[in-house]
Amino acid sequence: ELLIIVAIFSIISLVVSCLQTFYNNKVFVQCIVVRMRVILQKNLLIPEGVTEIKPYAFYDYKSIINIKLPKSLKKVGSDAFYGCSNIEMVAISDLTAWCNIDFGDEYANPLFYAEDLYLNGKLVTELQIPEGITQIRDDAFSYCTSLTSITIPNSVTSIGSSAFYNCTSLTS
């Protein structure tokens, strides 16, 4: 009986939090589906085509262990991953897109907890920013402790606040 009550409470909480965040029905239903999957799974796959993750979207979801973010992602709201302290891995497929994500704060970047960034399935240790990138946004690689070296091309004219904060394994 207790399990049923907890499940019902979780579903009600999901509906309320999605209602507070989203206004149109299609996005509301997608929010419910994504959040239910997160509760039931340890892997969070944000589908291609999603451009924004709202503030507090996954606030305190301790069940999340692995995250895969799409190259279409442009903005992640403040505290989107706050309290998701079990995240171990962040996977991306496009470094250029990653450098251009507008993170609302350090808790918007799942690297705050994961500390490891994977590009196309490979742990990023020697980061080479692609030629043509003009900016590296705020908090883009903060807390990415797997980084041992960074190569930044001349095309980069702006490096955001805390872009490489707490990258404790950097040697060059």
Side-chain angles (χ1 to χ4, degrees):
E1 291 177 14
L2 181 60
L3 184 58
I4 292 171
I5 293 170
V6 170
I8 291 170
F9 179 75
S10 294
I11 291 169
I12 291 169
S13 296
L14 289 173
V15 171
V16 170
S17 65
C18 285
L19 280 173
Q20 290 172 341
T21 307
F22 301 106
Y23 300 104
N24 87 32
N25 291 337
K26 181 179 177 187
V27 176
F28 172 75
V29 170
Q30 289 173 342
C31 174
I32 293 292
V33 170
V34 168
R35 287 178 177 239
M36 285 302 290
R37 286 183 184 156
V38 170
I39 288 173
L40 300 173
Q41 298 179 13
K42 297 175 190 267
N43 300 315
L44 173 61
L45 170 62
I46 305 293
E48 191 60 48
V50 171
T51 58
E52 180 177 357
I53 298 174
K54 298 287 188 180
Y56 305 99
F58 299 102
Y59 186 92
D60 210 27
Y61 277 70
K62 296 193 185 325
S63 62
I64 302 173
I65 294 175
N66 303 310
I67 298 176
K68 184 167 194 300
L69 297 173
K71 62 184 174 186
S72 60
L73 190 61
K74 305 288 184 220
K75 184 176 183 176
V76 182
S78 299
D79 297 308
F81 294 100
Y82 182 87
C84 299
S85 55
N86 292 317
I87 297 174
E88 296 174 0
M89 182 187 85
V90 177
I92 61 170
S93 63
D94 188 313
L95 192 55
T96 299
W98 178 262
C99 288
N100 287 310
I101 294 174
D102 178 10
F103 292 105
D105 62 12
E106 63 186 3
Y107 299 113
N109 188 335
L111 285 175
F112 181 84
Y113 296 105
E115 299 179 350
D116 290 333
L117 180 66
Y118 288 80
L119 177 62
N120 297 317
K122 184 178 179 204
L123 180 64
V124 178
T125 56
E126 297 175 355
L127 178 63
Q128 293 192 338
I129 303 295
E131 186 65 46
I133 294 278
T134 58
Q135 68 175 342
I136 301 170
R137 301 279 237 155
D138 295 354
D139 297 301
F141 297 95
S142 60
Y143 296 94
C144 190
T145 60
S146 63
L147 293 180
T148 58
S149 68
I150 303 170
T151 303
I152 300 174
N154 290 333
S155 61
V156 173
T157 58
S158 172
I159 298 176
S161 173
S162 300
F164 297 101
Y165 177 74
N166 213 28
C167 295
T168 56
S169 300
L170 279 176
T171 56
S172 62

